[in-house]
Every structure is written in C-alpha cells, then in structure tokens.
Amino acid sequence: MNNLKAFLLLAAGITITFFSGCDANNIIDNNISMPSRNWSYVNKVKAVVEITEPAKSYNIYFKLRHTADYGYSNIFVLFHLREPGQKRESRRYEYRLAQPDGQWNGAGSGNLYTYTLPLLTNYKFPKAGKYELEIEQNMRDNPLKEISDAGIKVSAIAP
C-alpha cells in the first residue's frame, strides 16, 4: 500500500512539473544559436506568427543570451514587423544589459546571461493573418562577439 501511495505522489509530481513548464499563451518561442558565439548582420532572427484573433492583445519579446565576456553594457537591435500585404515597419531598440558597476542585469547560469526583453507590450495586431517578425543586431561590431543565441517570443495576454 505504501508503494502505491509513493508511486501516485511521484506520478502527480511529475505531471505537475511537466505541465507547469509549458505556457499555453505562447504563440511562438524560438532561439537561434549564433555560430561560434558571433552574431553577424546576416544572422537575423526570424519568425512567422499566424494571428487568428486580432482582438486579443499580445506581448512580443526579444530573447538574448551572452557570455560574461560580452564587451558592452548595452545592445542595439532593429525589430522588423511585416503585416500581410503591407510594407515592413522597423524600430530600433537599445537595451541596457549591465549596471554602471558592471553587474549584468540578466539571469546568470555559469558563464551565460539570459534576458527576455520587451519589444511590444499589449500589442494588437491590426488584422488576422501571417506576420513576419525579424530581429537583427545593430551594433557597430560585425560580428558581435560573445552572443550565444537570440530569439523571439510572442505571448497572448490572457483575458
């Protein structure tokens, strides 16, 4: 009997852990590894998201991971958004990655620092359809060294 209780508790714990790790509101969540930790201008992070409910609000994030040897306290990126049948719209963003004393703002794990940075919050797509999202690094260095990977995350905001 005790073995059965232990088994049921273990099974329940694994099930809870498995389902709590998934976010049902994520429409897309991708990362692109940078070759040799060098993000060059040609390595654009791209995603296509299909919006079926334009009345909903969404958050769009830039995901970044760099090593402790990254040479700057900030990063500039260009974010491009193309809606179906329209011209591409672009915005330039600057993100502070470190404090003035050099302390990294990201979550650290070993030699890597991870960020999920907002691009558009509470954003409503104008109409249903497939949208192309693209992020490119916009620093003077090409390639930008010690960038492990970058990505895009789009989440629907629960009503």
Side-chain angles (χ1 to χ4, degrees):
M1 188 66 166
N2 284 339
N3 286 342
L4 180 60
K5 286 182 183 178
F7 175 75
L8 290 175
L9 281 173
L10 179 64
I14 291 172
T15 303
I16 290 169
T17 302
F18 176 75
F19 286 110
S20 67
C22 300
D23 186 351
N25 291 330
N26 284 347
I27 307 293
I28 196 159
D29 189 350
N30 70 0
N31 279 328
I32 307 296
S33 292
M34 298 303 159
S36 302
R37 290 192 309 248
N38 291 319
W39 190 6
S40 67
Y41 295 146
V42 296
N43 296 112
K44 297 176 179 147
V45 179
K46 298 178 183 181
V48 175
V49 61
E50 183 160 6
I51 301 301
T52 56
E53 299 179 66
K56 274 189 170 180
S57 294
Y58 298 86
N59 290 328
I60 303 173
Y61 300 98
F62 164 47
K63 295 171 53 177
L64 178 71
R65 193 162 27 180
H66 66 79
T67 71
D69 296 327
Y70 179 67
Y72 300 98
S73 63
N74 68 339
I75 189 167
F76 285 95
V77 296
L78 292 175
F79 173 63
H80 309 291
L81 174 66
R82 183 188 319 257
E83 69 177 82
Q86 298 295 318
K87 269 180 47 173
R88 177 173 87 167
E89 292 182 26
S90 300
R91 291 185 188 178
R92 187 173 193 232
Y93 291 87
E94 177 186 13
Y95 295 102
R96 291 273 163 215
L97 303 179
Q99 298 295 317
D101 65 0
Q103 178 82 20
W104 294 112
N105 293 332
S109 176
N111 189 35
L112 288 176
Y113 293 89
T114 304
Y115 305 80
T116 302
L117 305 160
L119 288 163
L120 298 173
T121 55
N122 211 18
Y123 181 74
K124 290 192 181 211
F125 288 92
K127 60 186 175 184
K130 289 186 179 181
Y131 289 79
E132 297 173 15
L133 312 174
E134 186 177 85
I135 297 173
E136 62 181 293
Q137 70 99 338
N138 193 234
M139 301 286 281
R140 290 184 180 150
D141 290 357
N142 186 35
L144 185 57
K145 298 183 184 306
E146 299 304 323
I147 300 294
S148 171
D149 49 88
I152 298 172
K153 178 179 174 181
V154 179
S155 298
I157 298 173

